Amino acid sequence: MFRGANAINLDAKGRLAIPTKYRQPLLDDCNGQLVCTIDTQQSCLLLYPLPEWEEIELKLSKFSSMVPAERRMQRLLLGYATEAELDKSGRFLLSSPLRQHAHLTKEVMLVGQLNKFEIWDADTWASQIDADMQTEREGSFELTERLQDFSL
């Protein structure tokens, strides 16, 4: 289970070092095998341990190539899906197309989302959090049944 937001710098080659606290769980769970793809709703990336990604692929494999919306989702998620493996230093390479999609330069945020991570440009992340907080304060969002039942 991944949680928390971690500020990380990409190195000159486009490698991202996974924080130490996540390395052993990733090695235990998936031998350090990861899959990174784009988020189709926002300018960030989604990083999955391989077993989690395989569940996504199974769902995508059931989509019809004759239904434009389903084919588009397959094209985007599978087309950008890039396999990665943690090296001995806990790093993996983010491909240029992935970095371009999320506008990643040097300062990035690795954000735990239970079964996956989001990877954001640090400035874009800060702007997104500001917008999310403003929306929460204004209450200008749909209160779903799950949100109605949620309390801290």
Side-chain angles (χ1 to χ4, degrees):
M1 183 174 313
F2 309 117
R3 62 177 78 90
N6 302 271
I8 301 172
N9 288 328
L10 288 178
D11 70 12
K13 294 180 181 179
R15 293 177 297 194
L16 185 145
I18 295 290
T20 306
K21 66 182 176 181
Y22 301 122
R23 290 180 194 172
Q24 196 58 51
L26 286 170
L27 289 170
D28 293 343
D29 184 43
C30 61
N31 268 349
Q33 300 290 314
L34 308 168
V35 175
C36 193
T37 193
I38 64 169
D39 185 319
T40 61
Q41 303 295 312
Q42 298 180 293
S43 293
C44 70
L45 303 177
L46 304 174
L47 179 66
Y48 291 90
L50 184 58
E52 293 288 338
W53 174 252
E54 288 172 336
E55 291 180 28
I56 302 295
E57 280 186 330
L58 184 60
K59 292 175 187 176
L60 289 168
S61 73
K62 295 177 181 170
F63 285 5
S64 170
S65 63
M66 300 304 288
V67 177
E70 293 179 15
R71 187 170 183 190
R72 182 175 56 251
M73 189 62 63
Q74 286 175 323
R75 182 182 309 117
L76 291 170
L77 293 177
L78 293 170
Y80 275 98
T82 304
E83 294 178 17
E85 183 175 356
L86 293 181
D87 66 14
K88 292 178 183 178
S89 299
R91 299 172 303 189
F92 70 95
L93 179 65
L94 281 170
S95 70
S96 181
L98 289 173
R99 292 193 313 268
Q100 288 172 4
H101 171 80
H103 312 290
L104 302 180
T105 53
K106 183 171 179 147
E107 297 175 359
V108 302
M109 294 297 295
L110 181 73
V111 183
Q113 295 292 297
L114 300 175
N115 67 330
K116 65 182 177 291
F117 294 100
E118 292 177 344
I119 302 171
W120 290 82
D121 167 75
D123 291 336
T124 305
W125 169 253
S127 295
Q128 182 65 51
I129 290 301
D130 288 345
D132 288 346
M133 292 299 291
Q134 184 66 30
T135 300
E136 283 294 315
R137 283 191 287 274
E138 293 171 355
S140 57
F141 57 91
E142 177 188 353
L143 196 57
T144 65
E145 186 177 325
R146 286 180 294 273
L147 286 173
Q148 291 173 10
D149 292 339
F150 183 76
S151 67
L152 293 174

